[in-house]
Each structure stands twice: as C-alpha cells, then as structure tokens.
Amino acid sequence: MSRGGEMVYIPDDSDFNTFRDQCESQEGWSNQYNKGGVTVWSQAQEESKTVQKIKMQITCRDVSPETLYDVLHDTHYRKKWDSNMIETYDIGRLTVNADVGYYSWRCPSPLKNRDFVTLRSWLPLGNDYIIINYSVKHPKYPPRKEFVRAVSLTTGYLIKATGSTGCILYYLTQVDPRGSLPKWVVNKVSQYVAPKAMKKIYKAGLKYPDWKRKHDPNFKPWVYPEQNTLPTITLAELSLQHADSLENIDESGLMEDRMRLSDDEA
C-alpha cells in the first residue's frame, strides 16, 4: 500500500475508499474457489509470480458487523481461534485509529515461519468497518533469526452489514513471503488454507459475545481510545519495509508430500 514515495504515512479516506473498491470489484480477479459460503479470488501481479493478490469473501449469518470488528481487533481473543499465530502484540499507537504491531505466523511444515511488523489503521463507516495494514520497519523490532521477515504490501478487512443480524467479510492481502515458493504452495493457499481461515473467523464471531462477557467486557480500546495505554510513537520512528532489503530464501524445491498441517487445519 504505497503512494509511490519513501515516507511512512497514516492511511486517509482515499486509501480506505481504494481498498473498499478493490474488495467489491470483480474486474481483473480470477475465481479460485467457491464452496461452502466462501469465495476466493486471485490476481497475479506482472512484476512477480510470488507476490500475488488474494481476496476472500464469506457470509457471516448471525454475526453482527460490530462483533466481527471486535474479533479482528481483540488480540487476547485471537489466541483462542488463530491456530496459525505464534505471537502477536501491539508496539505503540500513532493516532486514535492507527497503531504499529507485531505478528508471527506458523507456516505449514516444511516452510519456514514468517513474521511481520505492520502499521495498522481502521475506520468505522456507519454499519461497515475497514481495517488495513502495511509493513514498516521499527528500529527496536528487527528481523529475528528464527523467522523469515515477510512484507505486507496491502492487507485488510472490509466488513459489510447485511440485514439486521449478519454481515459479509472480505479479506484482501498482497504479501511478499520473501521466498521462492513452489506452485503447489500457492495453490494450497487458495484452495485450502484461505477458506479454512475465513471459516475460523466466522466461528470466532459466533463465540465471541459469550467469551467477551467473561473477559473484561467493557474493555475495547479500538472503540474507546481513552482506554488505550500503549506508548505513543511517531511516524519519524518508522520507515518503509522494502522487500529487497530482507533475506530471500528459496523454498521452491520443497515437495508437497512433506507438507504437514496442524490438527486445527486438517
């Protein structure tokens, strides 16, 4: 998510509108999967076979937009449903609707695990919500030897209200995994990993109200910024994370029969 410059910036209304348009547009997208209420599209990028855009959609009946928005923000609850997550935490806040955070992801074996440092921003739009992020560098959170530092070019969610009790969730991501991945991995993501991930979020939304009632129910700093106790950081402390400055590993020779998935994904 770049404006063509070298400066880190906080997304504005035009960025959110552009992201929303990408989620809702069908032009230039190839349908890869459509089953069980989940649709997955891909959009190959000319400059790289590895860095492609993937977009997903799922209809979430009986989950309000507000609830799904809370699920995607609540890092404590994420540990309950995101079995791919190794670690996540907030680093600091930039504004009332922007922060910087860390996320590490357990990749299916034999791939190496990835991690990210991203600038995240969010915007409620009536009954709809948008959350977007892109990768940045923070001097206190350099790449770690046990992970491959990947780059989010644009990643985010659009939550659209449908009727009085449900919503539609879009997830759009363009990530540079910093590695030459075999084609079967790319296919596995669109046909298996992505649909499973969307269904997990839906199930998490169904269970969240009961969980939240028992876990600090009034604490929602993403809704009530006065509750936010994160240290304040400035844009000057950050810089853009350029993919070409990071390690690039070759995993293209890995065989599919060596791939192992967690019990939650099987």
Side-chain angles (χ1 to χ4, degrees):
M1 202 175 85
S2 172
R3 292 173 177 168
E6 293 295 310
M7 301 294 292
V8 175
Y9 66 94
I10 296 172
D12 59 20
D13 287 352
S14 66
D15 296 301
F16 284 105
N17 288 331
T18 297
F19 180 82
R20 182 175 193 140
D21 290 344
Q22 288 188 75
C23 288
E24 296 179 332
S25 172
Q26 299 297 316
E27 187 175 348
W29 292 93
S30 300
N31 192 306
Q32 301 293 326
Y33 180 96
N34 191 358
K35 192 186 301 181
V38 179
T39 308
V40 180
W41 299 268
S42 68
Q43 188 180 85
Q45 305 301 299
E46 291 182 6
E47 66 271 14
S48 170
K49 294 179 181 178
T50 302
V51 185
Q52 64 170 344
K53 283 186 181 178
I54 295 178
K55 178 171 66 174
M56 294 159 258
Q57 174 192 309
I58 186 170
T59 299
C60 301
R61 298 179 181 85
D62 300 318
V63 178
S64 71
E66 296 86 357
T67 295
L68 212 55
Y69 182 62
D70 291 346
V71 167
L72 294 171
H73 270 289
D74 197 328
T75 55
H76 296 292
Y77 185 60
R78 188 162 197 137
K79 298 166 188 173
K80 291 285 185 181
W81 63 267
D82 188 353
S83 59
N84 293 319
M85 183 188 76
I86 298 173
E87 185 180 19
T88 188
Y89 52 83
D90 299 322
I91 294 171
R93 59 175 169 166
L94 292 159
T95 67
V96 294
N97 71 321
D99 62 17
V100 175
Y102 174 86
Y103 178 85
S104 54
W105 180 50
R106 183 179 294 104
C107 292
S109 177
L111 301 177
K112 289 189 174 182
N113 296 330
R114 263 65 176 178
D115 69 353
F116 302 83
V117 173
T118 60
L119 187 157
R120 179 181 62 163
S121 187
W122 54 93
L123 183 68
L125 295 165
N127 292 324
D128 300 342
Y129 301 88
I130 300 176
I131 305 171
I132 53 180
N133 77 55
Y134 68 95
S135 283
V136 294
K137 285 197 290 187
H138 189 294
K140 294 182 180 178
Y141 299 89
R144 297 161 59 176
K145 62 181 180 180
E146 67 267 37
F147 294 104
V148 176
R149 177 63 52 89
V151 178
S152 168
L153 302 172
T154 303
T155 298
Y157 301 92
L158 166 64
I159 307 167
K160 291 182 62 178
T162 56
S164 58
T165 60
C167 64
I168 295 174
L169 172 66
Y170 292 89
Y171 174 65
L172 187 150
T173 183
Q174 185 179 14
V175 167
D176 187 336
R178 298 314 297 146
S180 301
L181 300 178
K183 188 173 181 181
W184 64 261
V185 169
V186 179
N187 292 337
K188 188 77 77 172
V189 167
S190 61
Q191 296 292 322
Y192 185 87
V193 178
K196 282 280 188 181
M198 294 298 276
K199 290 175 182 177
K200 279 185 185 179
I201 296 173
Y202 179 22
K203 290 179 181 178
L206 290 169
K207 296 177 180 179
Y208 183 73
D210 284 342
W211 181 90
K212 187 60 175 172
R213 274 193 286 270
K214 303 169 186 173
H215 298 84
D216 213 350
N218 297 315
F219 183 70
K220 296 182 180 182
W222 53 92
V223 177
Y224 310 111
E226 65 274 10
Q227 296 178 345
N228 196 322
T229 59
L230 288 173
T232 300
I233 58 177
T234 66
L235 289 175
E237 298 174 61
L238 307 171
S239 56
L240 285 181
Q241 178 64 78
H242 292 292
D244 56 12
S245 69
L246 294 167
E247 176 190 16
N248 191 71
I249 62 171
D250 185 1
E251 296 176 299
S252 59
L254 296 175
M255 302 302 293
E256 186 170 3
D257 59 7
R258 289 185 58 205
M259 186 178 189
R260 293 195 303 275
L261 298 166
S262 70
D263 292 340
D264 292 307
E265 296 172 317

